Amino acid sequence: MAAASSNERKNISKQLLLVLLFILSCICLSTAINTANARNDSGLAFDHGVYYVPLTPDANSDTVYIGNNLVFVPNVDYTDIDSGEFDFYDYAQMPHATGVTVSSTYGWNDLGPNVTWYNCSEPPQMRVISREGKDKHCGLYIMTLHFKDPDGTYYLSIPHSNGLVKVYCNGNNLGFLWGRHDEWTPSFGFGYEYVPIIPDSDGIARVMITISTHVNIHNPGLLSPPALDSSVDSMSYAIIPALWVMMLFVLYLFILIGGFLISRTFKNKLVFYELILIEFLSLMYMLVDCNFIVFNALVKEQMSFILLILLNTMVFVFIDSFYTTSVAYKKHLILRAAPVIVSSIALLLILWAIFGNIQFTTWIPLVPELLFTLLVACICGFNLLTVYYGETASFYVCIIEICHVFFSFNAIAGFKGAYNLPTYSVFLAIANLTLEFYYVSRYVIQARALEDTMEHMQFLVQEKTLRISEINRDLYTTNKKLMENEQARKTVLSNVSHDLRTPITAIRGYAEMLYTSGQNMPESQKTNYLKNIIRRSEQMERIISDIVELTRLESNANEFQFMDVSISELLDEVYMIYEADLQGSGKKITLDIPDNDLLFVRADPKKLSRVFENLISNAINYTFEEAKIEIKAWREGQEKSIENQTICIDIKDNGIGIPANEVSMIFDRFYRAKNSGQNIKGTGIGLSIVKTIIDRHDAKISVESAIGTGTVFHIVMRAN
Ligand code: ADP
């Protein structure tokens, strides 16, 4: 446990370090993009209000920016120029400013540090022009360009401006930038447009740029320095942002399709819909902000404001959704109330932006934007570092939150680069890639876990199947055994009844004869009959005791009491009994055992004696008058270790032998060989008892026999 938690701690500190590194790289990235992408003034030679432009039509790659030393004439509208009320040189009599700098933050509300006003003691008030019930301000930027090559065509482009932009050159109307002719209705632009500047025969181009914009805009006018290109090469300014937006859109589609495919694995499906909404809002923000969708300046400002607030709210709710299943979330009411509070604030801000008639000429809209972003970032950051610290998704959530902060701050800063690629969009891409990576890796982990579980299940099923088949086999064996036992029982019964019937019939016959004609019978015959009755009763008794013994041996494992037994001693005892019995008969019995080896085995001595007695008495029974019975025991494998040695016992006779085809059956219960005959008494149970006892000793018994020559029973036991 302790090891696991220390491992966990190590993991978390590693993640924290990664997060810090990520923040650092984001700062570097923002700075790098903003620096590299800056659209600065090219520092053209400027004299007496004229720029000297070194461009030639051949120098395809040359682009120059004009951001300093412009002339600004307030309160001049394109309608004044179109109606002829205002001519290029008229500005000299009007209040105007020179040394004007382009400012992206304030537009013409901040004309730069070098500005000098003419024909007025202080900057004049902006005049409100009302048309179609709407109020607007207008202003005119003026520049005189002197081209090195008077025959060339040059292209003017301004990617970022607030208001309707109309361009004139040498008194000719060149058209609107963004191609819009109605300043109050939205239209679709292409992010970047240019108009051709055609100088007069002296290479002079007097350019006038009028801008009309809503009175509530805080940064009206030019927001990025106008660029001059010597060729239509500036198409790249349109294509590159379009490609970038396409790329973001493709990422968005990936998330949409991928998220849809794996949304079944989400605990909380709402996360997926929130994600779609966030993607949609951020793309919309970019399209509006970069003039891919063109609105009039106020609507654009309002839209951007609302989209950013919505985006912040959705990011908060989205991050919150990751933790709805966590213990802390269920425990603390404040955590559950947070999304409601944030959404309510957002709603109030949106209503304020729509109905509040906000002065977009001031900092006012930027303050709530900034504060709201900070609020969301702080709550998310606080939650991540305290309550949700160390949760599975926290690392990815943290990366997304950092991207969100960088996105929002860059969006509020409003910096646009040379290619109209806003810095915030880079963080949108990073956040999307992180999310993709998170979902894909989560999916892969889940798929792997599933595969492992499947494998485990398969293994369990296989194991169970094996177990079942084993049980089946056991059942089959048990069943077979039961059937065999049943068969054996029937055989035993029929054999017993048959074997008992013979003596019973004989006894009954003798008894009946004695009963019916006993008085007339001579005494000797009566005695003979009575002797027969006694013999037959003894035979019955023997049969019954043999059956009882065999049954007991087979059914009761505890019958056996194993101990170290000397085969030499055991055989010697048995031999002594039979040797005495055979005294005076024609039958001879011999014993051959080693002198100096007691031939120890592990056995039940009583049961083993029974084996030897049975075999020796069979040998005596199934031999002729002049018989020779040999008992021999010896050790085999003396050179090996004791556990590999065996004790062998042979009981050999030169009797009637067993027919070859019956040798295999003589151990069966009640089986008696055909040649054993009626006059040799027996039940056919003796060898079954022998076999059962030998089996219980883990020993082996075999027979070699030949009719008329004799029989050898060979026993092999493990030495002890
Ligand atoms: P039983 O001797 O009571 O008939 P056993 O089970 O001891 O029963 O022997 C089974 C049969 O094996 C005998 O009936 C006999 O035919 C045969 N048998 C056993 N021992 C010998 C032997 N030493 N020589 C010839 N036949 C034998």
Side-chain angles (χ1 to χ4, degrees), residues 229-280:
D229 242 289
S230 61
S231 71
V232 198
D233 195 35
S234 55
M235 267 307 276
S236 57
Y237 290 118
I239 290 168
I240 289 171
L243 282 178
W244 177 239
V245 172
M246 282 292 285
M247 206 193 88
L248 287 177
F249 190 70
V250 168
L251 266 180
Y252 174 51
L253 277 184
F254 273 153
I255 288 204
L256 204 78
I257 297 166
F260 178 73
L261 287 179
I262 66 164
S263 61
R264 270 192 305 170
T265 66
F266 288 12
K267 272 190 213 137
N268 181 359
K269 263 215 176 119
L270 208 65
V271 176
F272 175 58
Y273 301 115
E274 286 163 3
L275 182 64
I276 292 176
L277 203 60
I278 289 176
E279 295 290 329
F280 172 75

Side-chain angles (χ1 to χ4, degrees), residues 74-95:
N75 301 322
V76 174
D77 187 20
Y78 64 91
T79 48
D80 301 335
I81 302 169
D82 288 344
S83 64
E85 268 176 52
F86 183 87
D87 182 57
F88 183 83
Y89 295 105
D90 289 350
Y91 79 90
Q93 283 82 52
M94 291 184 67

